[in-house]
Amino acid sequence: MDLLRTLGLRGPKLPELEVRIGCFREVLQANNAALGYLARIQEALEAEAPLAAAEVRRLTAGVMVQTYRMITNLERMTGGRYPLAAERFDELKGRIVRAVEVAPALVSVGPVLPLAEARPAIAEAVGQKSAYLGEAARILGGHVPIGFATTATAYHAFMGEGGLGARLASLLAPLDPGDVAGCFAAAAEASTLVESAPVPEAVARAIEEALATLPGGEELRLAVRSSALQEGGLEISFAGQYRSLLNVPREGVVDAFRAVVASKYSPQAITYRLGRGYRDDEVAMCCCVIAMVDARAAGVLYTRFPTEAGARTLVQAVHGLGLSAVDGSVEPDSFVVERARGGRVIERKVGQQAHLLRAAAGEGTERAPVSADSPGPLGAEEALSLCALAWRLEDALSLPLDVEWAIDRRGEPWILQVRPLSDLGDQAEEPRKRRVVGAQLLLERGARASGGAAAGAVFHVETDLDLLCCPERAVIVAREANPRLAVLLPRAAAIVTDLGEVTGHLATVARELHVPALFATRTASETLADG
């Protein structure tokens, strides 16, 4: 036992430096967001212009949510050194609510909330994904699919059924994020516990009642996507760590809810969560349930992508459903768009996609080949139409965005996910291309998913057994940039893949953890030999 700490002469044990830095950045981001809300309030006061009651509620709730975000990250960063801050916040929040008659932003809601009622001010109740998509629906109208969110209330009810949460906590308590084998074993047991647990009757009934309000009859198919608390943050994204189930029939949504909760206990999700300093009970799993879009093309859009010439908009596109764009299984096409004068495409790069993902005849998804002479998934005019929607969102939300989109068979654009764009690091810096005299050139192309330089023994990863056997400080080489590889990133020197791109989930996690990553090389798995 630490005698100094016992005598009160030393503060609580602090988390790892990388965790503290991440929390500090979250504090800064929350502070900036809160100042944005306060500036809007100040503008309204100086103009002496009346605000609608809904706008007063939105702005005041926004300040409270961002302040709460600062407090929780300060507590995590300091090992719980300032418990009185939360008490003082609760007191001030109550006074503000009484003064302006605003409903508290952090109140409990029922197990289900219509997507139209979700907004960033209640992200702590529905998760950031549902919160921002609900706001996008308000801003864009018909370009966001109909749907609803399951809430933290539903998750906690599920965890409380039969003591499930307590059993999971006991199982996960001794885990070390560096123990890959231990995390795999715990993940298998935890996932089994969740998958075999009954969904509480009140939660199942609330989901079924929400489904009954959606049009489309028996033909309606839905996407059930994760929207966990803390997921989609600027510094800690949980990108690709959880499941999304696609093409789910109405009668399968309750089971899909349980499956998404179970994905919280995948090996990579457990490792990521522990490595970033989160306890299991801090990350409630909510779901965003939306009508499926029969996508002809889909992908990801960054509203502000740094280039040497300044910030541009990056659009990456694949044939079929958008999961292929983020799971590292293909190399998407890319468009770089300049916003000035209404927008114009200034650069286009053709990717490599041998197969697409589409909705299967009954439910779920299936792969289908893409013809070698098939035209690209997206035209320049379609790219510009997607940018126009994303720029409207960016202007309304006052922050750069990471947007998932789809274009249906009729050519209509849809927004499927919106989140604040995380740090892209040194993407704008031109890589040094000077050849090293006498060195063999191994790879001549690729997309810099995460900048940096590193060295180590090459280790090819193709199976789960390879994940368990991977040595520390290796250069991981794989064909696909699969998010499952995130379980290795805390111990890796670097990662190189044949496929994938900068907008993929694994790229996001590599940037968060400052692991150099080169994707879309096309030949790394054949060229780089083990060892």
Side-chain angles (χ1 to χ4, degrees), residues 201-254:
E201 184 179 342
V203 174
R205 185 169 60 251
I207 291 173
E208 288 162 358
E209 289 172 355
L211 288 167
T213 68
L214 301 181
E218 293 303 313
E219 300 302 313
L220 178 68
R221 293 294 182 269
L222 300 122
V224 183
R225 303 163 65 99
S226 66
S227 180
L229 304 196
Q230 320 303 341
E231 185 180 4
L234 286 161
E235 296 295 331
I236 304 175
S237 68
F238 289 83
Q241 304 306 297
Y242 306 130
R243 287 184 71 185
S244 291
L245 279 75
L246 306 179
N247 198 27
V248 179
R250 289 178 186 266
E251 63 271 17
V253 171
V254 172

Side-chain angles (χ1 to χ4, degrees), residues 53 56-58 60-61 64 93 96-105:
V56 173
R57 286 194 292 272
R58 186 182 74 84
T60 312
M64 289 192 284
K93 183 181 73 175
I96 292 170
V97 169
R98 289 190 296 273
V100 298
E101 296 182 348
V102 174

Side-chain angles (χ1 to χ4, degrees), residues 324 327-332 351-355 367 445 458-463 466 475-483 485 495-501 506 518-528:
S324 299
D327 71 359
S329 62
V330 305
E331 178 193 337
Q352 188 176 70
Q353 185 177 6
H355 63 267
R367 283 188 172 188
R445 74 178 311 280
V458 167
F459 185 83
H460 284 253
V461 176
E462 298 177 3
T463 67
D466 295 330
V475 174
I476 299 164
V477 175
R479 174 153 177 75
E480 298 184 359
N482 193 302
L485 296 174
I495 182 165
V496 185
T497 67
D498 295 351
L499 300 172
E501 252 290 358
L506 187 64
L518 182 66
F519 295 170
T521 66
R522 298 190 182 177
T523 60
S525 63
E526 298 173 1
T527 305
L528 303 180

Side-chain angles (χ1 to χ4, degrees), residues 159-181:
M159 287 292 117
E161 190 83 357
L164 176 61
R167 284 186 288 165
L168 290 168
S170 176
L171 176 64
L172 300 175
L175 288 182
D176 179 339
D179 179 8
V180 175

